[in-house]
Amino acid sequence: MPSFHPPVRTLMGPGPSDVSPRVLEALSRPTIGHLDPAFVAMMDEMKGMLRTAFCTENELTMPVSAPGSAGMETCFANLVEPGDKVIVCQNGVFGGRMKENVERCGGVAVMVQDTWGTAVDPAKLEASLKENTDAKIVAFVHAETSTGALSDAKTLCEIAHAHDCLAIVDAVTSLGGVPLLVDEWNIDAIYSGTQKCLSCTPGLSPVSFNDRAVEKIKNRKTPVQSWFLDLNLVMAYWGDGGGGARSYHHTAPINALYGLHESLVILEEEGLEAAWQRHAYHHQALRAGIEAMGLSFIVPEGDRLPQLNAVTIPDGVADADVRKQLLADYNLEIGAGLGDLAGKVWRIGLMGFACNKTNVLFCLGALDAVLSGMTDNINKGVAVAAAMAFYQQ
Ligand SMILES: *Cc1c(COP(=O)(O)O)cnc(C)c1O
């Protein structure tokens, strides 16, 4: 059997996104022991850089050794006790997974539904909390990758706290891509992922918990049902960096953590605010091209994520044929719609390392060429020029 050599693709879907070559190089550095002092020092640096990225001082900030979904599960498994009522605001796929998590933890999920493609409506959350005075937790997705909608995390957290609830926030796609201020917005528990706007490989999930969340975890009446994700145990491994002994819990994915460390160094070099601005800027260029072509965005303008663009598919065009051709001829991956949006939209990601001018022009050019061969329902040959006009203004 020959070694596996993947094709080189441009990843402009909902994740994973393009990985920085610096991260790929970091992954291949020598493996050392997970209790090696050099590794422990790296873990401490990483916790500091994660706090910077999350804009928090939270002591309990670290990467869970598994993908974003495990960060989600870490939040729910640790904070939800059997019988706890949790208000879950759902405006896409990932809110549905939150419900699954609540119920598997023995909690009672109360769903607050919003139309896919719109932001979570704070008024609906408020109404639900007035009806459910015994609710303990509010959970919502900041950046809904399945639709491209951004919700107002600050306002939703304020409402949760006014009703004495903790707030769990999914920031898998938002971290590094749009403003996210964990302390200023009073987010109690948050999880993210490495494969979206951090320019890193999939497989790790940065999380952060404030004192109120840690208090709830320490005062649980029942043990956390997951041994692996039990923060009481994981905390002893990731330690406080104060020279205290670290006890073995699991073997950290050493090389994967080198990769995350490098991606956080890259983020610090660029600057968090500069990274947010870069995503907003290239989104505007992509938008100019998409709209010139005659396609449109499903999310209302003020609620759009720059890093995930849900774009309408022109009439009479078969979604999968286009994506297949983009992959075969251009080595370009864009995402399909999910759920109700399947076959109706494409999801074009501009995440992390993939968010740059070259990719915007390449994607528009490829989409224009492929669609031009399939339909007369677009304005042909104008997308790249429209984006260039934006860049040159
Ligand atoms: C990608 C994603 C997840 C899951 O992350 P994985 O790394 O795929 O496990 C969760 N929530 C949102 C909003 C996401 O975009």
Side-chain angles (χ1 to χ4, degrees), residues 24-170:
L24 293 176
E25 180 275 324
L27 293 169
S28 67
R29 291 176 196 158
T31 305
I32 56 177
H34 69 125
L35 298 175
D36 186 309
F39 187 73
V40 170
M42 193 278 292
M43 290 163 92
D44 286 336
E45 277 175 22
M46 169 126 58
K47 288 193 292 182
M49 288 193 290
L50 282 177
R51 286 186 192 108
T52 306
F54 274 130
C55 298
T56 183
E57 305 277 313
N58 286 345
E59 181 58 42
L60 182 52
T61 302
M62 47 153 215
V64 172
S65 300
S69 306
M72 178 188 277
E73 195 133 359
T74 299
C75 288
F76 288 93
N78 283 274
L79 287 170
V80 179
E81 288 200 71
D84 280 357
K85 192 180 263 191
V86 182
I87 312 280
V88 176
C89 304
Q90 180 175 16
N91 62 341
V93 165
F94 292 99
R97 295 196 177 173
M98 288 177 151
K99 174 178 193 275
E100 284 280 317
N101 269 272
V102 170
E103 288 170 352
R104 282 164 196 245
C105 295
V108 179
V110 176
M111 301 304 287
V112 175
Q113 298 286 352
D114 278 291
T115 311
W116 287 31
T118 67
V120 171
D121 181 355
K124 284 192 193 167
L125 171 61
E126 176 91 58
S128 177
L129 282 163
K130 281 187 179 145
E131 238 172 72
N132 297 281
T133 50
D134 53 342
K136 299 244 170 75
I137 294 170
V138 167
F140 63 90
V141 179
H142 184 212
E144 201 16 287
T145 325
S146 62
T147 67
L150 177 68
S151 290
D152 180 353
K154 179 171 186 261
T155 299
L156 296 171
C157 287
E158 267 166 22
I159 295 169
H161 292 139
H163 293 268
D164 232 10
C165 286
L166 292 177
I168 298 179
V169 179
D170 177 320

Side-chain angles (χ1 to χ4, degrees), residues 206-259:
V207 297
S208 186
F209 296 81
N210 71 10
D211 290 344
R212 295 208 306 162
V214 171
E215 195 69 9
K216 183 163 187 349
I217 296 168
K218 288 196 169 147
N219 291 314
R220 286 179 63 103
K221 289 173 205 79
T222 51
V224 174
Q225 42 86 10
S226 164
W227 177 87
F228 184 67
L229 300 175
D230 184 347
L231 284 170
N232 293 299
L233 305 175
V234 178
M235 274 187 267
Y237 182 48
W238 273 86
D240 61 1
R246 275 176 211 233
S247 52
Y248 168 63
H249 176 252
H250 64 283
T251 306
I254 313 280
N255 292 56
L257 288 168
Y258 299 163

Side-chain angles (χ1 to χ4, degrees), residues 14-16 66-72 93-95 97-98 141-146 170-174 191-196 201-205 305 308 347 351:
S69 306
M72 178 188 277
V93 165
F94 292 99
R97 295 196 177 173
M98 288 177 151
V141 179
H142 184 212
E144 201 16 287
T145 325
S146 62
D170 177 320
V172 175
T173 283
S174 49
Y191 59 93
S192 189
T194 44
Q195 52 145 324
K196 312 276 168 107
T201 44
L204 293 169
S205 177
L305 283 171
L308 196 287
R347 291 182 299 152
M351 297 182 177

